[in-house]
Amino acid sequence: MSDLALPWPALLAIGLALASFVGVLAARWPAALADSPAPTATDLLARLCRPPSHCPHCHTRLRIYELIPVLSWLAQRGRCRHCQAPLGMGDTMLELTGAALALLLGWRHGADGLGLAAGLLFAFTLLALAWLDARSLWLPDALTLPLLWAGLLYTSLRAPAALSEHVWAAALGYGLLAGLNAIHLVLRRRHGLGGGDAKLLAALGAWLGLWALPQILTLAALGGLIWALFTRQRALAFGPWLAAAGLAGWLWPGVTLL
């Protein structure tokens, strides 16, 4: 992996650290809002940071060497060092996914520092949204809307001539899923999609452009359908599939399946 904006050990460390943060965010953010639906920014930050990391079983505070992504889990053989209760693999798999994403982004952007920074922002915001939606069926505006504006800003810097197309892509992405939800509401008297799904597709349009939307929707729908058939879940989080399709579009922009 030559001609990288960052050496691969740095990419690996960044991916592990960001994914570990995503895991903490997804675990604590919904619980913080459950206690108070409209906390101030200061209160929300305090709830995200406290209490310090601890074992979910015995509540013993974890030390720094017990918080190293992946390695701590391996060293402890998947069990709490204090109470020996088994620790799930969910966060470890998330951290490995983050490491793989960072390495793929390094490969994708090479020595392009701005592209790598934008790719990390895009990919790990999508990872946070996917993890939050999978755990809590929630795609917060505090992530989807800044992601949308960041996509338009990046486009204005890298391809100003394409900015109008990306604006239309954001509008069409939102309109497509919001319209489908409105039709479902009329026919079935209940929502078929959350408002966050429409905002997420709008953000993907802002980053990837108009012609990426059909492929994103097709891949996300196929992934969600296969998962629903396999798991027989009645309430399906669509955000992870949109996020995965958007990431595929960013990492392999020249590949078209349609």
Side-chain angles (χ1 to χ4, degrees), residues 22-23 25-27 29 94 97 101 122-140 143-144 147 196-197 200 204 227 236-247:
V22 165
L25 188 72
W29 195 355
L94 177 66
T97 300
L101 270 178
F122 179 67
F124 281 91
T125 303
L126 288 181
L127 186 62
L129 286 164
W131 203 245
L132 277 165
D133 202 25
R135 288 175 61 106
S136 307
L137 295 177
W138 181 48
L139 294 168
L143 291 181
T144 54
L147 184 65
D197 295 313
L200 176 54
L204 295 177
W227 183 257
L236 176 70
F238 193 44
W241 304 105
L242 286 172
L247 279 171

Side-chain angles (χ1 to χ4, degrees), residues 60-142:
T60 302
R61 180 173 177 175
L62 302 179
R63 300 187 179 186
I64 292 177
Y65 59 82
E66 295 175 288
L67 297 172
I68 301 171
V70 180
L71 295 180
S72 292
W73 188 88
L74 290 173
Q76 295 167 197
R77 298 182 180 180
R79 291 183 175 273
C80 172
R81 189 172 63 88
H82 307 278
C83 67
Q84 295 302 307
L87 302 173
M89 290 189 63
D91 286 341
T92 301
M93 295 304 296
L94 177 66
E95 290 160 0
L96 290 172
T97 300
L101 270 178
L103 292 175
L104 280 170
L105 287 165
W107 161 79
R108 162 77 172 80
H109 293 288
D112 178 6
L114 177 60
L116 176 61
L120 287 169
L121 173 66
F122 179 67
F124 281 91
T125 303
L126 288 181
L127 186 62
L129 286 164
W131 203 245
L132 277 165
D133 202 25
R135 288 175 61 106
S136 307
L137 295 177
W138 181 48
L139 294 168
D141 289 354

Side-chain angles (χ1 to χ4, degrees), residues 172-193:
L172 181 59
Y174 180 82
L176 281 171
L177 292 191
L180 285 174
N181 183 56
I183 294 170
H184 191 278
L185 185 60
V186 170
L187 296 177
R188 303 291 298 273
R189 299 182 183 276
R190 60 186 176 88
H191 291 283
L193 291 165

Side-chain angles (χ1 to χ4, degrees), residues 208-228:
L208 300 176
L210 197 60
W211 303 109
L213 291 180
Q215 183 152 297
I216 291 171
L217 282 172
T218 301
L219 289 175
L222 284 174
L225 178 61
I226 293 169
W227 183 257

